Amino acid sequence: ALGKVIAFTLIIPICSFLGRKKAMLFFLFCGVMSNFLAMPDVQISENWTLEYVACLLGSIAISSAFGLIYLYTSELAPTSHRGMIMSLSSSSARVGSFIGTYINLLYDLTD
């Protein structure tokens, strides 16, 4: 929950500094880089590993990109179609979040 608060408060200053399109690319790039950062097995302290820190940073970056997508999508859509496009993007995000919980089951099918 704290990561979401940090993510949504980061959107405003980074959007005002970079713009919405570059901010979206920045957050997605940070999410990808945190995945690469989580690969090595490095112990930071007794309870913390590099994987935990990278996953926290990646979660913040992807949550920021998810919050920013609503602002960016509404700019692209014409006024007459904006409501339909926003509802389609919101429903696609919800379907993706439902399907995302079952991704681990695909490993059992392919193994």
Side-chain angles (χ1 to χ4, degrees):
L2 182 61
K4 298 277 186 184
V5 172
I6 294 169
F8 291 139
T9 54
L10 281 177
I11 291 174
I12 296 169
I14 291 180
C15 265
S16 65
F17 183 70
L18 294 176
R20 290 184 182 164
K21 187 175 185 179
K22 289 181 183 176
M24 175 66 74
L25 292 174
F26 172 74
F27 286 130
L28 291 175
F29 179 76
C30 288
V32 169
M33 286 298 118
S34 69
N35 284 335
F36 288 126
L37 188 64
M39 287 182 190
D41 190 20
V42 177
Q43 190 78 20
I44 296 173
S45 71
E46 185 177 317
N47 296 327
W48 286 87
T49 62
L50 185 61
E51 181 182 2
Y52 293 152
V53 174
C55 288
L56 179 63
L57 294 176
S59 174
I60 289 171
I62 296 301
S63 295
S64 296
F66 185 75
L68 187 60
I69 196 77
Y70 290 105
L71 297 172
Y72 188 62
T73 306
S74 66
E75 281 185 353
L76 296 176
T79 307
S80 59
H81 295 79
R82 190 170 296 150
M84 181 183 64
I85 290 172
M86 292 303 292
S87 64
L88 281 173
S89 67
S90 178
S91 62
S92 299
R94 298 301 162 220
V95 168
S97 67
F98 292 143
I99 292 173
T101 58
Y102 296 107
I103 292 297
N104 287 335
L105 297 177
L106 289 176
Y107 180 75
D108 294 334
L109 292 175
T110 59
D111 190 28

